[in-house]
Amino acid sequence: MDTASQMRERIMAYFKGELSKEEEAFLYAWIKESTENKAFFFQLKNEFALQEDTDPLIERSYAELKSKLLLRQQFPSVPRKKKSSSLFLRVAAAIVVGLILGGGATYLFTSKPVEEVKVVWFETKVPRGEKSQLLLPDGSKVWMNSESSLSYPSNFMAGNRNVKLDGEAYFEVAKQQKSKFSVQTRDYTVRVLGTKFNVTGYADFNRTETALLEGSVEIIRGKQHLALHPGQTLQYKDGQFIMGELSGGTSAKWKDNLFDFKEIPFEELVLRLERWYDVDIEVKSDDLNKIVYSGVFKNAETIEEILDIFQLTMPISYTKEDFRKFSIQRKKS
Protein backbone atom coordinates (compact mmCIF):
# COMPACT_ATOMS: atom_id res chain seq x y z
CA MET A 1 0.00 0.00 0.00
CA ASP A 2 1.32 3.44 -0.93
CA THR A 3 2.19 5.71 1.98
CA ALA A 4 1.07 9.32 2.22
CA SER A 5 4.53 10.52 1.17
CA GLN A 6 4.51 8.22 -1.86
CA MET A 7 1.09 9.45 -2.90
CA ARG A 8 2.29 13.04 -2.46
CA GLU A 9 5.20 12.34 -4.83
CA ARG A 10 2.89 10.62 -7.30
CA ILE A 11 0.39 13.52 -7.32
CA MET A 12 3.10 16.17 -7.66
CA ALA A 13 4.62 14.15 -10.52
CA TYR A 14 1.18 14.14 -12.17
CA PHE A 15 1.00 17.94 -12.05
CA LYS A 16 4.46 18.07 -13.65
CA GLY A 17 3.36 15.74 -16.46
CA GLU A 18 5.75 12.97 -15.42
CA LEU A 19 3.32 10.03 -14.96
CA SER A 20 2.73 7.25 -17.46
CA LYS A 21 -0.81 6.40 -18.59
CA GLU A 22 -0.82 3.41 -16.24
CA GLU A 23 0.26 5.56 -13.29
CA GLU A 24 -2.40 8.17 -14.14
CA ALA A 25 -5.08 5.45 -14.24
CA PHE A 26 -3.96 4.27 -10.80
CA LEU A 27 -4.13 7.83 -9.47
CA TYR A 28 -7.67 8.38 -10.82
CA ALA A 29 -8.84 5.15 -9.16
CA TRP A 30 -7.18 6.13 -5.87
CA ILE A 31 -8.88 9.56 -5.89
CA LYS A 32 -12.29 7.94 -6.30
CA GLU A 33 -11.76 5.56 -3.37
CA SER A 34 -12.65 8.06 -0.64
CA THR A 35 -13.43 11.69 0.17
CA GLU A 36 -10.17 11.81 2.16
CA ASN A 37 -8.17 10.93 -0.96
CA LYS A 38 -10.06 13.55 -2.94
CA ALA A 39 -9.39 16.22 -0.29
CA PHE A 40 -5.67 15.29 -0.19
CA PHE A 41 -5.47 15.61 -3.98
CA PHE A 42 -7.04 19.10 -3.91
CA GLN A 43 -4.77 20.19 -1.08
CA LEU A 44 -1.69 19.25 -3.11
CA LYS A 45 -3.19 20.88 -6.20
CA ASN A 46 -3.42 24.15 -4.26
CA GLU A 47 0.13 23.72 -2.93
CA PHE A 48 1.43 23.14 -6.45
CA ALA A 49 -0.28 26.28 -7.74
CA LEU A 50 1.14 28.25 -4.80
CA GLN A 51 4.70 26.94 -5.25
CA GLU A 52 4.78 27.43 -9.00
CA ASP A 53 3.04 30.83 -8.85
CA THR A 54 0.73 29.65 -11.63
CA ASP A 55 -2.64 30.86 -10.35
CA PRO A 56 -3.10 33.48 -13.13
CA LEU A 57 -1.74 31.03 -15.68
CA ILE A 58 -4.24 28.39 -14.59
CA GLU A 59 -7.11 30.78 -15.19
CA ARG A 60 -5.78 31.80 -18.64
CA SER A 61 -5.08 28.21 -19.60
CA TYR A 62 -8.57 27.16 -18.54
CA ALA A 63 -10.10 29.81 -20.82
CA GLU A 64 -7.80 28.75 -23.66
CA LEU A 65 -8.60 25.08 -23.15
CA LYS A 66 -12.35 25.74 -23.13
CA SER A 67 -12.11 27.84 -26.29
CA LYS A 68 -10.25 25.08 -28.11
CA LEU A 69 -12.80 22.48 -27.05
CA LEU A 70 -15.70 24.66 -28.23
CA LEU A 71 -13.92 25.34 -31.50
CA ARG A 72 -13.58 21.62 -32.14
CA GLN A 73 -17.26 21.07 -31.39
CA GLN A 74 -18.33 23.71 -33.92
CA PHE A 75 -15.70 22.92 -36.59
CA PRO A 76 -14.81 19.19 -36.38
CA SER A 77 -12.55 19.48 -39.42
CA VAL A 78 -10.10 21.76 -37.67
CA PRO A 79 -6.90 19.69 -37.32
CA ARG A 80 -5.53 19.16 -33.82
CA LYS A 81 -2.00 20.09 -33.05
CA LYS A 82 0.16 17.10 -32.36
CA LYS A 83 2.30 18.85 -29.79
CA SER A 84 1.59 21.30 -27.01
CA SER A 85 3.86 22.90 -24.48
CA SER A 86 4.46 20.72 -21.44
CA LEU A 87 3.47 23.57 -19.11
CA PHE A 88 0.08 23.94 -20.81
CA LEU A 89 -0.52 20.19 -20.61
CA ARG A 90 0.34 20.15 -16.92
CA VAL A 91 -1.95 23.06 -16.09
CA ALA A 92 -4.77 21.81 -18.33
CA ALA A 93 -4.59 18.33 -16.78
CA ALA A 94 -4.84 19.77 -13.28
CA ILE A 95 -7.83 21.89 -14.33
CA VAL A 96 -9.67 19.03 -16.00
CA VAL A 97 -9.24 16.63 -13.08
CA GLY A 98 -10.11 19.38 -10.59
CA LEU A 99 -13.31 20.21 -12.47
CA ILE A 100 -14.31 16.57 -12.83
CA LEU A 101 -13.82 15.95 -9.14
CA GLY A 102 -15.54 19.21 -8.27
CA GLY A 103 -18.54 18.56 -10.48
CA GLY A 104 -17.61 21.15 -13.12
CA ALA A 105 -17.05 18.85 -16.10
CA THR A 106 -20.52 19.60 -17.52
CA TYR A 107 -19.58 23.19 -18.18
CA LEU A 108 -16.16 22.38 -19.60
CA PHE A 109 -17.41 20.07 -22.34
CA THR A 110 -20.52 22.00 -23.45
CA SER A 111 -20.98 25.31 -25.15
CA LYS A 112 -23.08 26.70 -22.29
CA PRO A 113 -21.77 29.74 -20.39
CA VAL A 114 -19.52 28.85 -17.50
CA GLU A 115 -21.34 29.18 -14.19
CA GLU A 116 -19.74 29.71 -10.83
CA VAL A 117 -18.38 26.44 -9.50
CA LYS A 118 -19.99 25.33 -6.24
CA VAL A 119 -17.75 25.68 -3.21
CA VAL A 120 -16.80 22.31 -1.72
CA TRP A 121 -15.56 21.96 1.86
CA PHE A 122 -12.67 19.59 2.58
CA GLU A 123 -12.64 18.12 6.08
CA THR A 124 -9.82 16.61 8.13
CA LYS A 125 -10.80 14.54 11.17
CA VAL A 126 -8.54 13.34 13.96
CA PRO A 127 -9.80 10.29 15.91
CA ARG A 128 -9.56 9.77 19.65
CA GLY A 129 -6.09 8.90 20.88
CA GLU A 130 -4.31 10.78 18.10
CA LYS A 131 -3.09 14.25 17.16
CA SER A 132 -2.27 15.57 13.70
CA GLN A 133 -0.53 18.44 11.95
CA LEU A 134 -2.05 19.99 8.82
CA LEU A 135 -0.48 22.37 6.30
CA LEU A 136 -3.12 24.56 4.67
CA PRO A 137 -2.72 25.64 1.02
CA ASP A 138 -1.61 29.17 2.04
CA GLY A 139 1.21 27.82 4.20
CA SER A 140 -0.62 28.19 7.53
CA LYS A 141 0.15 25.40 10.01
CA VAL A 142 -2.49 23.75 12.17
CA TRP A 143 -1.94 21.29 15.02
CA MET A 144 -5.16 19.39 15.67
CA ASN A 145 -5.93 17.77 19.01
CA SER A 146 -7.66 14.41 19.37
CA GLU A 147 -11.29 14.01 18.26
CA SER A 148 -11.21 17.32 16.36
CA SER A 149 -12.20 18.23 12.83
CA LEU A 150 -11.18 21.12 10.58
CA SER A 151 -12.77 22.10 7.25
CA TYR A 152 -11.65 24.57 4.58
CA PRO A 153 -13.32 25.58 1.27
CA SER A 154 -12.22 24.75 -2.26
CA ASN A 155 -11.84 28.48 -3.00
CA PHE A 156 -9.52 28.94 -0.01
CA MET A 157 -6.71 30.31 -2.20
CA ALA A 158 -9.10 32.70 -3.92
CA GLY A 159 -9.33 34.87 -0.80
CA ASN A 160 -11.77 32.77 1.23
CA ARG A 161 -9.38 31.87 4.06
CA ASN A 162 -12.17 30.74 6.34
CA VAL A 163 -11.92 27.44 8.23
CA LYS A 164 -14.40 25.68 10.49
CA LEU A 165 -13.25 24.03 13.70
CA ASP A 166 -14.95 21.48 15.92
CA GLY A 167 -12.66 20.52 18.78
CA GLU A 168 -9.25 22.02 19.57
CA ALA A 169 -6.44 23.28 17.37
CA TYR A 170 -3.35 25.46 17.54
CA PHE A 171 -2.78 27.80 14.58
CA GLU A 172 0.28 29.49 13.10
CA VAL A 173 -1.29 31.61 10.38
CA ALA A 174 0.62 32.73 7.29
CA LYS A 175 0.28 36.48 6.95
CA GLN A 176 -1.38 37.88 3.82
CA GLN A 177 -2.10 41.62 3.92
CA LYS A 178 -5.07 41.44 1.54
CA SER A 179 -6.65 38.29 2.93
CA LYS A 180 -7.75 37.82 6.51
CA PHE A 181 -7.85 34.35 8.02
CA SER A 182 -10.81 33.31 10.16
CA VAL A 183 -11.68 30.33 12.34
CA GLN A 184 -15.38 29.64 12.75
CA THR A 185 -16.46 27.84 15.93
CA ARG A 186 -19.91 27.01 17.23
CA ASP A 187 -19.92 30.13 19.46
CA TYR A 188 -17.92 32.78 17.62
CA THR A 189 -15.45 33.55 14.82
CA VAL A 190 -11.75 34.32 15.32
CA ARG A 191 -10.37 36.69 12.67
CA VAL A 192 -6.64 37.32 12.16
CA LEU A 193 -4.02 38.49 9.66
CA GLY A 194 -1.13 36.37 10.88
CA THR A 195 -0.54 35.11 14.39
CA LYS A 196 -0.24 32.15 16.79
CA PHE A 197 -3.21 31.11 18.89
CA ASN A 198 -5.07 28.15 20.35
CA VAL A 199 -8.82 27.56 20.04
CA THR A 200 -10.75 25.10 22.21
CA GLY A 201 -14.28 24.43 21.04
CA TYR A 202 -15.38 20.94 22.07
CA ALA A 203 -19.15 20.86 22.42
CA ASP A 204 -19.04 18.80 25.63
CA PHE A 205 -16.79 21.38 27.37
CA ASN A 206 -19.75 23.80 27.29
CA ARG A 207 -17.42 26.68 26.45
CA THR A 208 -15.30 28.02 23.61
CA GLU A 209 -11.93 29.55 24.44
CA THR A 210 -9.19 31.31 22.46
CA ALA A 211 -5.69 31.85 23.84
CA LEU A 212 -3.40 34.27 22.00
CA LEU A 213 0.34 33.64 22.05
CA GLU A 214 1.52 36.06 19.35
CA GLY A 215 0.04 38.80 17.15
CA SER A 216 -3.54 39.97 17.54
CA VAL A 217 -6.98 38.54 16.85
CA GLU A 218 -10.55 39.78 16.78
CA ILE A 219 -13.38 37.72 18.26
CA ILE A 220 -16.69 38.20 16.47
CA ARG A 221 -20.13 37.10 17.67
CA GLY A 222 -23.03 38.88 16.00
CA LYS A 223 -22.46 42.60 16.50
CA GLN A 224 -19.87 42.02 19.23
CA HIS A 225 -16.22 42.59 18.23
CA LEU A 226 -13.59 41.95 20.93
CA ALA A 227 -9.84 42.45 20.49
CA LEU A 228 -7.41 39.98 22.03
CA HIS A 229 -3.73 40.70 22.74
CA PRO A 230 -0.78 38.36 23.40
CA GLY A 231 -1.00 36.70 26.81
CA GLN A 232 -4.78 36.99 26.98
CA THR A 233 -7.56 34.43 26.75
CA LEU A 234 -11.21 34.90 25.93
CA GLN A 235 -13.80 32.37 26.98
CA TYR A 236 -17.45 32.21 25.94
CA LYS A 237 -19.59 30.33 28.45
CA ASP A 238 -23.21 30.49 29.55
CA GLY A 239 -23.96 33.29 27.09
CA GLN A 240 -21.19 35.65 28.11
CA PHE A 241 -17.53 36.45 27.40
CA ILE A 242 -14.87 36.17 30.10
CA MET A 243 -11.42 37.72 29.58
CA GLY A 244 -8.45 36.09 31.34
CA GLU A 245 -4.68 35.75 31.42
CA LEU A 246 -2.77 33.04 29.58
CA SER A 247 -1.95 30.04 31.76
CA GLY A 248 -0.38 26.65 31.23
CA GLY A 249 -3.76 25.13 30.54
CA THR A 250 -4.35 27.28 27.48
CA SER A 251 -0.83 27.62 26.06
CA ALA A 252 -1.17 24.76 23.55
CA LYS A 253 1.54 22.64 25.17
CA TRP A 254 -0.60 19.64 24.26
CA LYS A 255 0.80 19.81 20.72
CA ASP A 256 4.22 19.00 22.20
CA ASN A 257 2.74 16.11 24.25
CA LEU A 258 2.88 18.06 27.50
CA PHE A 259 -0.40 18.62 29.35
CA ASP A 260 -0.30 21.53 31.76
CA PHE A 261 -3.53 22.48 33.48
CA LYS A 262 -4.54 25.11 35.97
CA GLU A 263 -7.87 24.80 37.77
CA ILE A 264 -9.90 22.86 35.23
CA PRO A 265 -13.07 20.97 36.26
CA PHE A 266 -12.61 17.26 36.95
CA GLU A 267 -15.31 16.51 34.39
CA GLU A 268 -13.26 18.23 31.66
CA LEU A 269 -10.13 16.41 32.79
CA VAL A 270 -11.89 13.06 32.31
CA LEU A 271 -13.12 14.06 28.84
CA ARG A 272 -9.59 15.03 27.83
CA LEU A 273 -8.17 11.73 29.08
CA GLU A 274 -10.77 9.83 27.07
CA ARG A 275 -9.76 11.70 23.92
CA TRP A 276 -6.01 11.50 24.39
CA TYR A 277 -5.86 7.82 25.28
CA ASP A 278 -8.90 6.56 23.34
CA VAL A 279 -10.54 5.08 26.43
CA ASP A 280 -13.91 5.26 28.14
CA ILE A 281 -14.02 6.44 31.76
CA GLU A 282 -17.14 6.21 33.89
CA VAL A 283 -17.29 8.51 36.91
CA LYS A 284 -19.40 6.69 39.47
CA SER A 285 -19.38 9.41 42.11
CA ASP A 286 -21.08 12.60 40.93
CA ASP A 287 -19.54 14.71 43.65
CA LEU A 288 -16.10 14.16 42.08
CA ASN A 289 -17.10 16.63 39.38
CA LYS A 290 -16.78 19.38 41.98
CA ILE A 291 -13.00 18.80 42.07
CA VAL A 292 -10.82 21.41 40.32
CA TYR A 293 -7.55 20.02 38.96
CA SER A 294 -4.12 21.61 38.44
CA GLY A 295 -1.11 19.63 37.30
CA VAL A 296 1.38 18.65 34.60
CA PHE A 297 2.01 15.31 32.93
CA LYS A 298 3.37 13.94 29.68
CA ASN A 299 1.35 12.19 27.03
CA ALA A 300 4.11 9.55 26.91
CA GLU A 301 2.81 8.16 30.20
CA THR A 302 0.18 5.42 30.02
CA ILE A 303 -3.39 5.96 31.16
CA GLU A 304 -2.75 3.63 34.09
CA GLU A 305 0.25 5.71 35.18
CA ILE A 306 -1.82 8.89 35.00
CA LEU A 307 -4.66 7.36 37.04
CA ASP A 308 -2.13 6.07 39.59
CA ILE A 309 -0.90 9.65 40.06
CA PHE A 310 -4.47 10.89 40.44
CA GLN A 311 -5.08 8.33 43.18
CA LEU A 312 -2.17 9.82 45.13
CA THR A 313 -3.22 13.45 44.69
CA MET A 314 -7.02 13.25 44.74
CA PRO A 315 -9.61 11.38 46.82
CA ILE A 316 -10.30 8.84 44.08
CA SER A 317 -9.69 5.21 43.18
CA TYR A 318 -10.05 3.55 39.80
CA THR A 319 -10.86 0.13 38.42
CA LYS A 320 -9.95 -1.27 35.03
CA GLU A 321 -13.18 -2.74 33.72
CA ASP A 322 -11.94 -3.76 30.28
CA PHE A 323 -9.05 -3.18 27.87
CA ARG A 324 -10.12 0.41 27.17
CA LYS A 325 -12.69 0.96 29.86
CA PHE A 326 -12.13 2.34 33.37
CA SER A 327 -14.29 3.49 36.24
CA ILE A 328 -13.49 6.14 38.84
CA GLN A 329 -15.10 6.44 42.22
CA ARG A 330 -14.51 8.36 45.44
CA LYS A 331 -11.91 6.71 47.60
CA LYS A 332 -13.34 5.07 50.69
CA SER A 333 -12.10 6.62 53.89
Side-chain angles (χ1 to χ4, degrees), residues 66-76 78:
K66 183 174 183 297
S67 297
K68 288 185 176 182
L69 289 168
L70 293 178
L71 182 65
R72 290 168 188 163
Q73 284 181 343
Q74 297 170 12
F75 305 98
V78 175

Side-chain angles (χ1 to χ4, degrees), residues 14-194:
Y14 169 76
F15 293 143
K16 295 176 183 177
E18 298 172 353
L19 293 187
S20 66
K21 290 184 178 180
E22 291 75 17
E23 290 173 324
E24 287 182 356
F26 173 85
L27 178 60
Y28 296 154
W30 178 83
I31 291 171
K32 294 178 181 179
E33 284 179 1
S34 67
T35 55
E36 289 77 11
N37 292 353
K38 179 179 175 182
F40 185 61
F41 175 85
F42 271 108
Q43 180 182 342
L44 293 188
K45 176 177 176 290
N46 289 334
E47 288 181 20
F48 179 81
L50 183 66
Q51 292 170 7
E52 297 295 326
D53 194 25
T54 56
D55 278 340
L57 180 59
I58 285 178
E59 295 300 325
R60 292 197 300 271
S61 297
Y62 167 67
E64 182 180 350
L65 176 62
K66 183 174 183 297
S67 297
K68 288 185 176 182
L69 289 168
L70 293 178
L71 182 65
R72 290 168 188 163
Q73 284 181 343
Q74 297 170 12
F75 305 98
S77 60
V78 175
R80 299 183 181 182
K81 293 183 179 181
K82 293 183 179 180
K83 294 183 180 180
S84 300
S85 68
S86 59
L87 176 60
F88 173 77
L89 287 176
R90 294 203 306 266
V91 174
I95 294 167
V96 171
V97 174
L99 285 170
I100 290 174
L101 294 176
T106 301
Y107 302 109
L108 180 61
F109 296 105
T110 67
S111 58
K112 296 179 181 179
V114 177
E115 296 181 10
E116 185 178 350
V117 178
K118 182 180 179 181
V119 175
V120 178
W121 286 81
F122 305 127
E123 183 178 43
T124 299
K125 289 186 176 182
V126 180
R128 288 205 312 179
E130 297 183 21
K131 292 186 290 293
S132 180
Q133 185 175 351
L134 176 66
L135 180 65
L136 293 176
D138 67 342
S140 296
K141 299 177 183 178
V142 185
W143 285 259
M144 297 176 62
N145 209 340
S146 57
E147 208 168 27
S148 298
S149 67
L150 185 82
S151 304
Y152 70 91
S154 55
N155 61 348
F156 184 87
M157 289 303 294
N160 186 16
R161 294 204 303 163
N162 177 39
V163 302
K164 298 177 181 179
L165 173 67
D166 182 10
E168 183 171 25
Y170 171 78
F171 296 83
E172 291 187 357
V173 176
K175 190 171 184 178
Q176 293 185 4
Q177 291 291 349
K178 296 182 179 180
S179 176
K180 292 185 177 181
F181 185 101
S182 63
V183 182
Q184 183 178 336
T185 71
R186 63 191 181 90
D187 285 322
Y188 55 70
T189 297
V190 184
R191 184 174 294 170
V192 304
L193 278 175

